[in-house]
Amino acid sequence: MLTRNAVAIAAVAIAAAAAFTLAASTAGYARGDECDDHDDHHGKGKVHLEVYAELTQSGIAAITQMKNGQMIIGYHPFYLTPTSVQVATLNADRRSSTPYPPAGSGLLQSCRKPDGSFLPAVNGRYDYCLDWVLGFHTDANGILWILDSAKSTDRADPVHPRPLALHAKYVGWDTKFNRLYKVIDLDAVTLPQSQHNDFAISLKHGVLIAADEAIGENSNGVGSTAALVVTNIATGKSRRVLQGDPHVTPNPDPIRWVAQAGQPAAAWGLRVGVDGITLDKKQEWLYFAPLSGYEMYRVRMTDLLDTTIGDAQLSARIEFYAHKPYNGGLTIDKDNNLYLTEVGRHAIGIIPPDTREYRVYASDPEMIWPDGVTYLSDGHMYSGAAQLIQTGVFQSNATPSGRANNAPPYRIYRFRPKAPGTPGS
């Protein structure tokens, strides 16, 4: 999952790497060829992929649900404007949405005025508004946890610099009683380069675990300071672990995508750190991987939560799990099948626990840049096609370069997984 702000920052730094990008693009998927799956692997067929909704505002990133099954969608912050709706409920027509939480609830959809300047802080904080939202999930108690990375502008923006009081944070919203549950400040574990992306919820252990892909301000488009962030829900205290570790940082290969929507295959050297993250049903294993990486990893929650060991010891306890292509979203079902959104191709893949071999599970030529993937209580998994590689910023920095071609309808797809998952995650 990426953002307009991070991509703009990366553009200048990565321009110098154009020759490398072109060479890598023409050479193929390199190590990614190990995971390539143009046909059904091992003779196992793909499942039906259904267009569930078509929207006009922008591409969809996060998807979750309330306890009553009402779908909540997140418009991708790559398209963010000062007046954008960021979190909404999908309406019955499946073509429109309603801002959520509702107007007048006390939580604003933006921390900015229509002219782009920032609203004033209240009591020195911005707990009353959302600035830049990419990931959210609901827990078993009906709390919608929204991860606000606060990256709509940079601190050094010459026109509208981000206020010092505007911090990255979790916003916990009680969907049953429609009221604020808790705000957890993440400033102590946030770097200038931070770009908090997705996260996993463990009520068993009382923690939220976020993936900081670290392609934000001053990163030059390389997630070299990527890390996991572990937050105690009760105390609000957080720890930043594995920063810069090889298990969470990107490899040198560019993001590549196949020809689609009338545009040729291309590549761009943006290097994204840890992105996809999910927790098994028993909440024993945390699975995670850099977007720009060919390996899926997992670590025991008991090791991750052990504050007596340092990063080097924790890193030594991480297990290689499987090879994979570049992926954004990640989730899991009760039988431990992993589902990945393959950003370079219009596909969602699966890694079964018995073979640990990646294969394409569902695909559609018009599902451009599938972003998150989430299981809902109706028995389907859902994914939004964010169309990021069709945008002007991606196309102008690609090799070969092109022009913006993103356009509505912005689709939400659904498919049947091999087994049920945990609703909302």
Side-chain angles (χ1 to χ4, degrees), residues 178-192:
N178 194 35
R179 64 191 182 195
L180 184 65
Y181 171 71
K182 177 177 285 192
V183 175
I184 301 176
D185 191 288
L186 296 174
D187 193 54
V189 288
T190 299
L191 307 178

Side-chain angles (χ1 to χ4, degrees), residues 21-22 24-26 29 254-260 263-269 344 389 394-395 397-402:
T21 303
L22 178 60
S25 180
T26 55
Y29 273 69
I255 297 174
R256 304 186 184 95
W257 53 93
V258 299
Q260 48 196 309
Q263 293 183 321
W268 186 27
I389 56 179
F394 256 80
Q395 287 296 316
N397 286 284
T399 302
S401 62

Side-chain angles (χ1 to χ4, degrees), residues 66-298:
M66 299 185 195
K67 294 284 286 184
N68 63 6
Q70 171 68 57
M71 183 185 291
I72 304 173
I73 61 173
Y75 289 100
H76 202 292
F78 188 89
Y79 301 90
L80 187 66
T81 71
T83 59
S84 292
V85 172
Q86 300 197 68
V87 184
T89 52
L90 182 67
N91 292 337
D93 62 7
R94 300 185 190 176
R95 295 180 179 274
S96 61
S97 62
T98 300
Y100 186 84
S105 64
L107 185 64
L108 301 183
Q109 290 278 335
S110 177
C111 297
R112 294 190 288 166
K113 301 174 184 177
D115 66 359
S117 62
F118 283 88
L119 296 166
V122 174
N123 297 322
R125 298 172 65 95
Y126 280 89
D127 292 354
Y128 69 94
C129 59
L130 302 173
D131 183 62
W132 185 94
V133 174
L134 185 51
F136 55 68
H137 299 282
T138 49
D139 67 23
N141 297 322
I143 304 300
L144 170 64
W145 290 102
I146 303 170
L147 180 52
D148 180 359
S149 196
K151 301 297 290 185
S152 65
T153 67
D154 292 339
R155 297 274 192 223
D157 188 285
V159 181
H160 299 300
R162 189 170 74 252
L164 291 175
L166 180 56
H167 298 168
K169 61 184 182 288
Y170 283 108
V171 177
W173 188 265
D174 191 327
T175 62
K176 293 185 290 186
F177 297 100
N178 194 35
R179 64 191 182 195
L180 184 65
Y181 171 71
K182 177 177 285 192
V183 175
I184 301 176
D185 191 288
L186 296 174
D187 193 54
V189 288
T190 299
L191 307 178
Q193 299 91 338
S194 287
Q195 188 161 289
H196 302 296
N197 187 347
D198 201 2
F199 63 99
I201 303 172
S202 175
L203 293 184
K204 175 182 176 181
H205 299 288
V207 295
L208 308 168
I209 312 105
D212 181 357
E213 58 191 11
I215 55 168
E217 189 173 0
N218 301 331
S219 70
N220 292 324
V222 179
S224 58
T225 57
L228 299 180
V229 175
V230 183
T231 300
N232 185 295
I233 297 172
T235 67
K237 294 182 178 180
S238 298
R239 295 185 301 125
R240 187 177 180 88
V241 300
L242 297 172
Q243 179 175 311
D245 186 88
H247 297 98
V248 296
T249 51
N251 72 69
D253 289 352
I255 297 174
R256 304 186 184 95
W257 53 93
V258 299
Q260 48 196 309
Q263 293 183 321
W268 186 27
L270 193 65
R271 296 166 57 190
V272 185
V274 62
D275 187 303
I277 187 168
T278 194
L279 193 62
D280 72 335
K281 185 177 181 180
K282 294 181 179 179
Q283 301 180 38
E284 294 177 351
W285 291 97
L286 182 77
Y287 296 81
F288 60 94
L291 185 152
S292 299
Y294 301 117
E295 294 85 21
M296 180 67 63
Y297 302 106
R298 70 176 185 175

